[in-house]
């Protein structure tokens, strides 16, 4: 099925809970209601015409006024894919986990939690994955300011280019 | 007589361990020599490549992509280039695409040689490793003539490749393929049918097809489970439809379908297919320019797209969001190793500690691709 047909089918099935269908983009996507993401996920996986057996990518984007979580679904049997988005408030973003539908969500959700601070409710192991456990802040947020030191180790390094300049003086 | 101690033991494997192929740590809960569980702990190599992309612009990010996967940097180059071209509606000249395919397939050979060689070494066979490295060095010689680098290859640009093939390079590459092809068979005879080797790999770390899809395994790890799926064939990109090649899949020849041996064999057979593609590409390469005209200050229109390329480690997805300025708003790389690490915890239950080594090697994970 073409991506637009898939999104149309979702629209028919879930009505108002599919908030917006962007069809003029390079990859068409649908924005859905965050509260029903698990329900939509289960439908995508079990519907005989869609059979999205793989959650191939999950990434978070900070849009300054909201945080979007982008899901790329794919079906190996039907050889088609779809893109869904949810928009979450920037302060305390939270959404239900898809881990119980697709196992691959486990690590990808941990990564989004680590770098963007999105909390996935019901996740079995919600802790930082790439950064240290005691790291402050979420680096991929647009307003993240890098701390000057971490446990006494300076994160600021003298630029070799500037040092060459001062030598001249 | 003293009583036996029977409590569970916690072992740390890594972050520096000769067989983890990079800085990777496993917390192993073991009962004697049998693992209860091996919990992967990643992030020792995290450099926030995705954040860097937001700061350096589209052209400027190209050299950083090499570091995402330093063993096969051509594919990360190609993925990033294609994503930018799709965003900016740029058409790559035909010769440019051929150059890309040639460089990428040579890189696949180099990467698989390293993977197979280190796999032998992890099991204790040192000789095949030195042979594999020798072959890899020859490929590095060829690639060095293309782009000047021996590790972080940076040959591609947005809109094509940086330079045309040097004079006489095609003949040299063809001659090398003539030299490599018999060696692949020799390699196979040296390593693949060795009794110890087969026993260490067959029936270890069995992944079923449904599990592989559920955990989002890609590339040789997925094909090892018997699923015939290759981005080059199934979602064709670049000039791959021009070539005639097969997709080898695991068939449970030595044990169960989807075990470590199957994943290894898929890589061995894939190298022959790469040689096939290379021969056709070197023969058919058209003339013309290799680089499309791309403005120095490249500003793709606002939008977002995902590009998938078949890297040596499998399906590599670049998700790029542009806001119309010269700097990407968000870049996300989906890599094969990241997903492969997710399944290790499940696979490790009940295996011997020594099998964890072969498990990591057979999944061919590489640390910078997990951490990025």
């Amino acid at each position: 099925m073409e991506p637009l047909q898939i999104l149309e089918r979702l629209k028919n099935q879930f009505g108002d809970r599919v908030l917006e269908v962007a069809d003029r983009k390079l990859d068409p996507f649908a924005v859905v209601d965050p509260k029903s993401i698990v329900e939509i996920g289960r439908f995508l996986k079990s519907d005989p015409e869609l059979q999205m057996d793989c959650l191939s990518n999950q990434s978070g984007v900070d849009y300054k006024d909201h945080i979007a979580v982008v899901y790329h679904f794919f079906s190996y049997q039907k050889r088609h894919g779809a893109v869904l988005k949810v928009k979450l408030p920037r302060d305390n973003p939270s959404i239900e986990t898809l881990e119980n539908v697709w196992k691959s969500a486990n690590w990808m959700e941990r990564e989004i939690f680590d770098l963007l601070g999105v909390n996935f409710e019901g996740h079995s192991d919600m802790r930082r994955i790439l950064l240290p456990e005691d790291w402050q802040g979420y680096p991929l947020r647009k307003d993240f300011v890098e701390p000057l030191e971490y446990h006494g180790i300076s994160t600021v390094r003298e630029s070799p280019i500037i040092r060459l300049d001062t030598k001249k003086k | 007589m003293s009583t036996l101690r029977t409590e569970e033991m916690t072992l740390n494997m890594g972050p520096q361990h000769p067989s983890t192929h990079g800085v990777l740590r496993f917390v192993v809960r073991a009962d004697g020599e049998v693992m209860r569980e091996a919990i992967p702990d990643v992030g020792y190599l995290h450099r926030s490549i995705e954040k860097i992309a937001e700061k350096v612009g589209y052209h400027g990010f190209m050299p950083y992509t090499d570091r995402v996967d330093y063993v096969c940097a051509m594919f990360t180059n190609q993925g990033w280039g294609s994503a930018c071209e799709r965003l900016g509606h740029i058409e790559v000249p035909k010769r440019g695409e051929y150059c890309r395919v040639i460089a990428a397939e040579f890189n696949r050979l180099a990467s698989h040689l390293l993977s197979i060689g280190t796999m032998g070494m992890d099991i204790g066979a040192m000789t095949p490793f030195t042979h594999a490295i020798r072959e890899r060095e020859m490929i590095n010689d060829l690639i060095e003539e293309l782009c000047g680098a021996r590790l972080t290859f940076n040959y591609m640009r947005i809109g094509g490749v940086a330079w045309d093939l040097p004079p006489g390079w095609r003949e040299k590459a063809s001659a090398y393929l003539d030299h490599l092809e018999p060696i692949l068979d020799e390699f196979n005879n040296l390593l693949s049918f060795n009794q110890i080797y087969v026993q260490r790999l067959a029936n270890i770390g069995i992944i079923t097809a449904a599990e592989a899809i559920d955990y989002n395994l890609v590339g040789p790890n997925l094909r090892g489970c018997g699923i015939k799926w290759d981005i080059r064939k199934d979602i064709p990109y670049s000039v791959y439809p021009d070539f005639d090649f097969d997709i080898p899949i695991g068939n449970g020849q030595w044990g169960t379908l989807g075990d470590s041996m199957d994943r290894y064999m898929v890589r061995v057979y894939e190298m022959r297919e790469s040689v096939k593609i290379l021969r056709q590409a070197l023969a058919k390469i058209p003339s013309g320019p290799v680089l499309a005209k791309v403005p120095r200050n490249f500003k793709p229109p606002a939008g977002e797209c995902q590009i998938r390329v078949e890297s040596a480690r499998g399906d590599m997805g670049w998700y790029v969001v542009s806001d119309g300025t010269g700097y990407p708003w968000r870049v996300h790389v989906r890599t094969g190793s990241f997903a492969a690490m997710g399944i290790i915890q499940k696979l490790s239950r009940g295996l011997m500690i020594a099998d964890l080594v072969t498990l990591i090697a057979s999944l061919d994970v590489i640390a910078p691709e997990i951490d990025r």
Side-chain angles (χ1 to χ4, degrees), chain B residues 15 78 201 288 314 320:
Chain B
Q78 193 181 12
L201 292 178
V320 186

Side-chain angles (χ1 to χ4, degrees), chain B residues 32-104:
Chain B
E33 265 200 86
V34 178
M35 285 189 290
R36 286 268 166 80
E37 202 166 44
I39 303 157
D41 178 19
V42 301
Y44 288 91
L45 211 59
H46 180 62
R47 290 145 302 171
S48 237
I49 290 274
E50 291 166 5
K51 187 81 174 177
I52 293 171
E54 294 169 14
K55 307 272 177 194
V56 295
Y58 289 94
H59 286 297
F61 188 53
M62 192 54 101
Y64 287 95
T65 60
D66 305 348
R67 275 75 178 173
V68 173
D69 186 349
Y70 53 60
V71 179
C72 49
M74 290 290 185
F75 297 102
T76 50
N77 276 193
Q78 193 181 12
W80 173 246
S82 316
C84 294
E85 284 145 17
R86 180 145 184 242
L87 274 176
H89 304 286
I90 294 165
E91 182 110 4
V92 181
K94 197 92 176 161
R95 192 179 170 89
E97 288 283 18
Y98 267 80
C99 288
R100 277 185 173 187
V101 167
I102 291 169

Side-chain angles (χ1 to χ4, degrees), chain B residues 308-353:
Chain B
R308 301 167 79 178
V309 293
E310 182 74 29
S311 129
R313 254 156 278 287
D315 179 357
M316 173 178 269
W318 286 86
Y319 173 65
V320 186
V321 182
S322 160
D323 61 342
T325 64
Y327 298 89
W329 183 259
R330 172 84 166 94
V331 176
H332 183 255
V333 205
R334 201 285 308 275
T335 55
S337 302
F338 190 74
M341 282 300 282
I343 202 171
I344 284 185
Q345 187 169 357
K346 180 179 181 301
L347 287 183
S348 65
R349 289 175 195 144
L351 289 181
M352 309 282 276
I353 291 176

Side-chain angles (χ1 to χ4, degrees), chain A residues 25-27 29 45 53-64 70 72 74 76 79 83 85 101-104 107-108 111 115-116 127 129-131 139-142 144, chain B residues 39-43 46 48 50-51 54 86-87 89 213-218 222 227-229 234-235 304-306 308 319 321 328-330 332 334 338 341-342 370-372:
Chain A
K25 304 286 165 114
L26 289 168
D27 290 336
F29 62 83
K45 195 175 182 184
D53 44 13
C54 178
L55 171 63
S56 76
N57 189 15
Q58 204 177 352
S59 47
V61 188
D62 182 5
Y63 282 106
K64 280 193 170 161
V70 187
H72 287 80
F74 194 75
Y76 280 97
R79 317 215 152 189
V83 188
K85 273 189 182 187
V101 191
W102 290 278
K103 288 278 186 347
S104 58
W107 271 45
M108 290 191 279
E111 191 190 341
L115 301 176
L116 281 143
R127 45 192 182 95
I129 183 168
L130 297 173
L131 300 176
L140 279 182
R141 290 221 182 170
K142 291 288 174 185
F144 175 74
Chain B
I39 303 157
D41 178 19
V42 301
H46 180 62
S48 237
E50 291 166 5
K51 187 81 174 177
E54 294 169 14
R86 180 145 184 242
L87 274 176
H89 304 286
I213 292 173
D214 206 12
Y215 277 92
N216 192 13
L217 292 192
V218 288
L222 180 72
I227 299 171
K228 204 164 188 152
W229 175 264
D234 292 297
I235 316 174
E304 55 184 75
C305 76
Q306 197 205 20
R308 301 167 79 178
Y319 173 65
V321 182
W329 183 259
R330 172 84 166 94
H332 183 255
R334 201 285 308 275
F338 190 74
M341 282 300 282
I370 302 162
D371 295 353
R372 299 184 301 279

